[in-house]
Amino acid sequence: MKPLNPRFIFLLSLTVVSSSFGFYLPGLAPVSFCEEKSKGDAEECQTDIQLFVNRLDSVESVLPYEYDAFDFCKDTNERRPSENLGQVLFGERIETSPYKFSFKADKACVKVCTKSYDIGSSEDKLKLDFLKKGMELNYQHHWIVDNMPVTWCYIVEDGQKVCNPGFPIGCLVNQEGKPKDACVINADFNKKNTYYVFNHVDITIFYHSGDETNGMHARLVAATLEPQRSDFHSNDENPTCEGAPMDIPADFKSNLKVTYTYSVTFKQNDDIRWASRWDYILVSMPHTNIQWFSIMNSLVIVLFLTGMVAMIMLRTLHKDIARYNQMDQEEAQEESGWKQVHGDVFRPPRMGMLLSVFLGQGTQVFIMTFITLFLACMGFLSPANRGALMTCAVVLWVLLGTPAGYVSARLYKTFGGENWKTNVLLTAFLCPGIVFVDFFMMNLILWVEGSSAAVPFGTLVAILALWFGISVPLTFVGAYFGFKKPGIEPPVRTNQIPRQIPQQSFFTKAMPGIIMGGILPFGCIFIQLFFILNSIWSHQMYYMFGFLFLVFIILVITCSEATVLLCYFHLCAEDYHWWWRSFLTSGFTAVYLFVYAVHYFFSKLQIIGAASTILYFGYTLIMVLIFFIFTGTIGFFSCFWFVNKIYSVLKVD
């Protein structure tokens, strides 16, 4: 675990300030390279190229591990670049590696180190077993050069070129002789019950030559590699990188040596500009057509709902209100439907305290999500800014405690509540407390498993300091101004005696309406949700924030319109209990999200192990809770506006 040192505190403070203004762009300044530096070039270009290594992860396990957890070659002068809050929370552990190059200096078969495993050493046996387990679960290296991933590009069945930002540490041929994962690419992997370690890599670095006449030096625009396997038992001091694949028997019965080597080649490519050097990775992900299909599907749903709402507002409601205002009071008493419940529709709901707390937290999450996605859509939070997305979201959530306290207090006062102290405390601690307890329990499992995703104790202290030191006081400030103002005055007077609700049909009862209400919003997001889950659990790069922001807007519109429609139908059935129902109607979308996450776990993932399963569902519950209060808040305020609008035009006392 890392201690909370002054350097981290300074970095966290800088991140908070810069993220709040949306100009957090670390690592995006281009770095120039040259073969030989003269005295005048000392400040302008670099000759040495450092390869960094990140954590290793797998699609078959939720547990990532640091590079040092495996018995690979380590840098003698190991150092870690500064990490922001988002990188720490995501479990990224970047450090220097022994792979060091000089610009435009091609090298062939350079030895990095040799790892020896003695059959009589229990420590060596544990190291080798852990390495075998990593190959069995298909753990992937993630290397970085000049803040861009070193990719492994290969051709898939349909002839399309795919560039993966990670490459496997090895592969396995099981006892039946069936090759797994990367072992299928080479027919030489044919020994049963044998592991093949990728101990050699052929690295190719592409550079843009720049313009020497204008003083512009070369810049790196791409880095690819090809993992290889070679047996160096015979001559590991002067390897030739030739020979049979390096195999490790499943049974450790004799001493073993594994020599790690690399070859590096520099190639000039002036067709790729530095600003677009990530494009070759993103283009190889064929998601654009599917994304447009998702957008069109969502737009059709929105247009359908908009037409329904427009028909109700412009035709039904307009005619009803006009006819109602022309009648005298006795004729109006004979009317039925939504007009008859005007004396009860603003009766305070049961558990108004809990509803107001959820709405305060939902407002905070909504504003945070909108600003974060907008900044990501503008390119401020691109994949090149490692951890910037999470850092921005956390910082915004901390700084948005004031609107959460204000909305919660104002609505609670509208409901006639008087326990203002309980209200503000629940607003500040209920939902964040549930999330933190869940997150802490998942973090304990990661600590026990020795995973790199375990958040260090110092970072947990920093998160608590942000919560208690900034978010909670801001929530109290918002609640103070909320309670200082009078509650929202309803447009009609509430009767002292509640009106009896008539017998409801099946479709106008609470539960069927709530279940139906979440279907359409979920239909708008489920395709986008697939890619988001892929980026989280299958370690695929997510970059389509423009699509995501558009789907976010569509989701807000769909939740609003679906809730307004169902609210109108229930009021027409003379059921005036709309407060909680409006929140739960759109909030039920989170239940469909959980069901889809369960389906995704069993149908798409290959995760094995109790710890990984618990971690998956533990983090999924956090997502579901946040999504529940987010969508529920959208539905409530849409229905709140709708009900106030239609009853404010009635001429009743």
Side-chain angles (χ1 to χ4, degrees):
M1 296 183 294
K2 300 178 182 177
L4 186 62
N5 51 44
R7 185 180 181 184
F8 176 77
I9 296 175
F10 171 76
L11 176 66
L12 181 59
S13 303
L14 182 63
T15 301
V16 169
V17 174
S18 57
S19 293
S20 63
F21 289 96
F23 292 101
Y24 176 49
L25 297 171
L28 288 189
V31 179
S32 299
F33 293 89
C34 53
E35 295 182 69
E36 297 179 358
K37 290 195 298 184
S38 61
K39 292 183 179 179
D41 292 335
E43 299 293 333
E44 298 181 6
C45 65
Q46 298 182 10
T47 301
D48 298 330
I49 300 175
Q50 173 67 65
L51 187 146
F52 291 88
V53 291
N54 203 345
R55 65 175 187 178
L56 287 85
D57 52 38
S58 170
V59 295
E60 299 184 27
S61 176
V62 177
L63 302 170
Y65 290 99
E66 290 192 47
Y67 182 82
D68 289 344
F70 294 89
D71 194 29
F72 297 132
C73 301
K74 296 177 177 58
D75 189 9
T76 54
N77 299 318
E78 182 179 293
R79 58 182 177 86
R80 295 176 181 269
S82 300
E83 297 172 341
N84 58 47
L85 182 61
Q87 287 178 288
V88 177
L89 293 178
F90 270 132
E92 292 198 11
R93 300 295 184 264
I94 301 176
E95 60 189 64
T96 57
S97 75
Y99 298 85
K100 297 176 174 63
F101 322 121
S102 295
F103 182 66
K104 296 181 70 174
D106 295 350
K107 293 184 178 180
C109 201
V110 179
K111 176 186 173 183
V112 182
C113 72
T114 298
K115 293 293 181 178
S116 301
Y117 301 94
D118 189 350
I119 190 174
S121 173
S122 58
E123 182 180 356
D124 287 350
K125 184 178 184 304
L126 290 175
K127 291 180 180 179
L128 192 58
D129 287 343
F130 192 72
L131 181 62
K132 291 177 181 178
K133 189 67 174 179
M135 289 186 280
E136 183 178 348
L137 295 177
N138 195 28
Y139 269 83
Q140 305 273 320
H141 283 286
H142 293 279
W143 290 2
I144 303 168
V145 168
D146 191 30
N147 198 38
M148 62 179 176
V150 182
T151 59
W152 176 33
C153 297
Y154 51 89
I155 305 298
V156 293
E157 292 180 356
D158 56 357
Q160 183 178 2
K161 183 179 180 181
V162 176
C163 292
N164 192 346
F167 68 96
I169 64 177
C171 58
L172 166 67
V173 177
N174 59 22
Q175 295 180 352
E176 291 76 23
K178 182 179 180 180
K180 288 186 58 180
D181 304 316
C183 278
V184 300
I185 65 176
N186 196 322
D188 292 336
F189 302 146
N190 48 27
K191 295 182 181 179
K192 295 182 179 180
N193 202 22
T194 302
Y195 297 86
Y196 293 91
V197 60
F198 295 165
N199 56 330
H200 175 80
V201 288
D202 291 324
I203 303 173
T204 303
I205 299 178
F206 299 89
Y207 64 93
H208 190 288
S209 60
D211 189 354
E212 294 291 345
T213 59
N214 295 329
M216 292 181 58
H217 296 283
R219 293 173 179 174
L220 307 186
V221 293
T224 63
L225 61 76
E226 184 71 26
Q228 304 288 346
R229 297 77 30 198
S230 293
D231 191 346
F232 303 120
H233 289 174
S234 57
N235 189 10
D236 58 80
E237 294 299 330
N238 187 22
T240 59
C241 297
E242 297 177 356
M246 180 70 211
D247 61 273
I248 302 176
D251 299 326
F252 186 32
K253 297 181 179 180
S254 60
N255 294 341
L256 181 67
K257 286 185 178 181
V258 180
T259 300
Y260 292 90
T261 59
Y262 73 90
S263 299
V264 60
T265 304
F266 288 85
K267 292 184 178 181
Q268 181 177 333
N269 188 337
D270 293 338
D271 296 332
I272 304 176
R273 299 178 60 87
W274 184 88
S276 58
R277 61 180 185 165
W278 285 67
D279 289 357
Y280 82 99
I281 306 174
L282 306 181
V283 169
S284 68
M285 301 178 182
H287 304 328
T288 305
N289 293 335
I290 301 177
Q291 291 290 339
W292 280 117
F293 171 77
S294 171
I295 297 297
M296 295 304 298
N297 174 66
S298 302
L299 286 175
V300 169
I301 295 176
V302 168
L303 290 175
F304 170 75
L305 288 175
T306 303
M308 293 287 291
V309 172
M311 183 179 64
I312 291 174
M313 296 292 291
L314 297 179
R315 297 185 59 184
T316 308
L317 283 177
H318 180 74
K319 292 180 180 179
D320 285 353
I321 292 173
R323 185 171 65 253
Y324 185 86
N325 290 336
Q326 292 174 359
M327 295 178 179
D328 56 31
Q329 197 65 22
E330 292 183 1
E331 291 176 330
Q333 292 296 327
E334 298 178 0
E335 284 287 334
S336 61
W338 62 271
K339 298 174 288 297
Q340 282 294 82
V341 296
H342 65 81
D344 299 275
V345 73
F346 290 100
R347 189 176 304 280
R350 297 178 181 178
M351 297 187 294
M353 170 86 75
L354 182 61
L355 181 59
S356 64
V357 169
F358 280 165
L359 293 172
Q361 284 292 318
T363 303
Q364 187 177 11
V365 172
F366 174 80
I367 301 175
M368 174 202 74
T369 306
F370 178 83
I371 297 177
T372 302
L373 291 181
F374 180 77
L375 293 177
C377 185
M378 293 294 102
F380 291 107
L381 308 177
S382 68
N385 305 338
R386 303 177 190 279
L389 185 71
M390 176 61 76
T391 302
C392 181
V394 171
V395 171
L396 285 173
W397 181 86
V398 169
L399 298 178
L400 290 170
T402 301
Y406 179 83
V407 170
S408 177
R410 190 83 189 277
L411 287 174
Y412 181 63
K413 195 170 185 179
T414 302
F415 298 155
E418 299 178 352
N419 298 327
W420 63 271
K421 294 181 180 179
T422 305
N423 174 262
V424 67
L425 288 174
L426 287 177
T427 304
F429 294 106
L430 179 61
C431 294
I434 295 173
V435 172
F436 183 81
V437 169
D438 190 330
F439 176 78
F440 183 76
M441 293 179 65
M442 298 303 104
N443 205 53
L444 285 178
I445 297 176
L446 293 171
W447 273 340
V448 172
E449 296 290 336
S451 173
S452 65
V455 176
F457 180 75
T459 306
L460 287 177
V461 174
I463 294 174
L464 290 175
L466 291 173
W467 180 16
F468 287 96
I470 301 179
S471 179
V472 172
L474 289 177
T475 305
F476 276 73
V477 171
Y480 169 77
F481 289 104
F483 280 112
K484 193 175 181 180
K485 286 193 173 185
I488 302 173
E489 190 70 24
V492 292
R493 188 176 60 187
T494 303
N495 298 332
Q496 293 184 353
I497 301 175
R499 176 185 177 88
Q500 185 177 0
I501 300 175
Q503 183 70 26
Q504 299 292 304
S505 65
F506 174 79
F507 294 103
T508 57
K509 290 182 179 179
M511 195 47 117
I514 291 172
I515 293 175
M516 290 186 297
I519 295 177
L520 291 178
F522 178 76
C524 294
I525 66 168
F526 80 96
I527 295 180
Q528 196 69 226
L529 182 62
F530 171 77
F531 295 109
I532 294 175
L533 293 178
N534 273 349
S535 68
I536 297 174
W537 303 114
S538 296
H539 315 295
Q540 296 184 9
M541 192 175 300
Y542 190 90
Y543 66 97
M544 299 166 288
F545 294 109
F547 286 116
L548 185 60
F549 185 73
L550 185 56
V551 170
F552 169 80
I553 299 299
I554 293 174
L555 173 65
V556 171
I557 297 174
T558 307
C559 285
S560 302
E561 294 181 343
T563 307
V564 167
L565 275 176
L566 291 172
C567 179
Y568 173 74
F569 294 150
H570 293 141
L571 292 176
C572 288
E574 300 182 23
D575 186 351
Y576 51 82
H577 294 306
W578 64 274
W579 301 93
W580 270 107
R581 186 175 296 177
S582 63
F583 183 88
L584 296 175
T585 296
S586 55
F588 201 81
T589 310
V591 177
Y592 291 107
L593 186 150
F594 179 76
V595 173
Y596 183 81
V598 174
H599 165 74
Y600 181 86
F601 177 82
F602 288 104
S603 64
K604 303 296 182 181
L605 296 182
Q606 304 169 351
I607 292 177
I608 57 176
S612 295
T613 303
I614 295 174
L615 288 168
Y616 176 86
F617 286 103
Y619 287 125
T620 298
L621 288 177
I622 294 178
M623 295 171 53
V624 169
L625 173 62
I626 295 175
F627 196 73
F628 170 71
I629 61 176
F630 164 71
T631 52
T633 300
I634 296 172
F636 175 87
F637 282 114
S638 301
C639 200
F640 185 78
W641 169 85
F642 174 75
V643 173
N644 273 273
K645 192 72 174 177
I646 63 174
Y647 284 98
S648 63
V649 298
L650 296 181
K651 297 178 181 179
V652 294
D653 297 327

